[in-house]
Amino acid sequence: RLSGRLAAVAAYVDEGASLADIGSDHAYLPCHLALSGKILKGIAGEVAAGPYESAVQTIHEAGLGEKVQARLADGLAAIRPEDRIDTVSIAGMGGPLIASILENGKERLEGVSRLILQPNINARSIREWGMANGWVLAAEEILKEDGKIYEVLVLERGEAVYGEKELLFGPFLMTGQNEAFREKWERERKSWQAILRQMEQSSRDEEISDRKEGLRQAIHLVT
Ligand code: SAM
């Protein structure tokens, strides 16, 4: 059984897709989707030997050797042209790391029409990367599981220009505004306010006035 977080990613994989799950660790996501018959084929990419071995084991135990393949590779280098991958998922990492994996392997995305990304922090860096590289947000989710709040971003080919608030909050999430969304930004606002208070108490230094102003503006955005 998948966690709620990975189930939210799985829900955006189309029936009959060929999926590359990058940073797959145990390969739970591609194996689950292959067992349920949703994907035709799955690649579980891993850069680290331990998680790669775990992926090999999960695939073997599930008897999925024909459908899912583990590859020891850095980022999108796990994808080969003959795989005809149309969907890429990257989950459970920071947004900047996900964006750098996409940036460094752009040429491997040629046949890919959907990216399903689940950043643990800083989803904004993914929205910025998408906007600069011909991808638009097609859907977004935000959910809370075991006290943590997760975002899922679905990108498809297209052009869009996002403003400051859309980049920070997400164009779909800011219009939906569910309980998890409100809680996330309430938490962020409190932590920024605490940092600002500390800076105001500990220093009157002019050098940090820019940072203080940046924090005030950020707090204003989420208030
Ligand atoms: N995707 C799974 C999930 O969401 O439950 C596993 C997340 S785990 C926290 C992150 C995994 O990404 C680790 O196993 C790590 O080795 C892998 N990883 C980090 N950078 C990577 C890269 N450049 N290429 C492939 N895998 C990477």
Side-chain angles (χ1 to χ4, degrees), residues 85-123:
I85 294 298
D86 50 40
T87 308
V88 170
S89 56
I90 313 180
M93 302 174 212
L97 178 56
I98 293 176
S100 79
I101 287 174
L102 293 168
E103 178 62 25
N104 293 337
K106 269 192 227 183
E107 70 288 349
R108 308 257 175 168
L109 292 175
E110 206 170 303
V112 174
S113 53
R114 180 175 293 181
L115 306 172
I116 310 168
L117 310 169
Q118 186 273 298
N120 290 339
I121 53 156
N122 201 344

Side-chain angles (χ1 to χ4, degrees), residues 5-6 22-25 45-48 51 73-75 91-93 97 101:
R5 176 179 65 81
L6 286 181
I22 305 300
S24 197
D25 198 356
E46 252 300 334
V47 75
D74 186 0
M93 302 174 212
L97 178 56
I101 287 174

Side-chain angles (χ1 to χ4, degrees), residues 25-148:
D25 198 356
H26 287 81
Y28 290 146
L29 180 67
C31 286
H32 178 91
L33 288 165
L35 282 174
S36 71
K38 203 174 187 189
I39 58 170
L40 291 177
K41 170 185 182 136
I43 300 295
E46 252 300 334
V47 75
Y52 165 76
E53 293 301 334
S54 305
V56 170
Q57 197 179 338
T58 308
I59 294 163
H60 177 72
E61 283 170 3
L64 284 169
E66 299 282 304
K67 271 191 156 184
V68 184
Q69 233 186 71
R71 297 215 181 118
L72 188 59
D74 186 0
L76 302 185
I79 301 174
R80 298 177 191 152
E82 63 268 26
D83 299 327
R84 302 199 174 280
I85 294 298
D86 50 40
T87 308
V88 170
S89 56
I90 313 180
M93 302 174 212
L97 178 56
I98 293 176
S100 79
I101 287 174
L102 293 168
E103 178 62 25
N104 293 337
K106 269 192 227 183
E107 70 288 349
R108 308 257 175 168
L109 292 175
E110 206 170 303
V112 174
S113 53
R114 180 175 293 181
L115 306 172
I116 310 168
L117 310 169
Q118 186 273 298
N120 290 339
I121 53 156
N122 201 344
R124 181 202 176 106
S125 49
I126 293 175
R127 297 189 185 101
E128 282 174 348
W129 179 86
M131 190 164 89
N133 288 281
W135 293 86
V136 293
L137 286 149
E140 293 172 309
E141 299 273 338
I142 186 163
L143 65 125
K144 187 173 168 184
E145 185 173 49
D146 299 332
K148 291 192 182 138

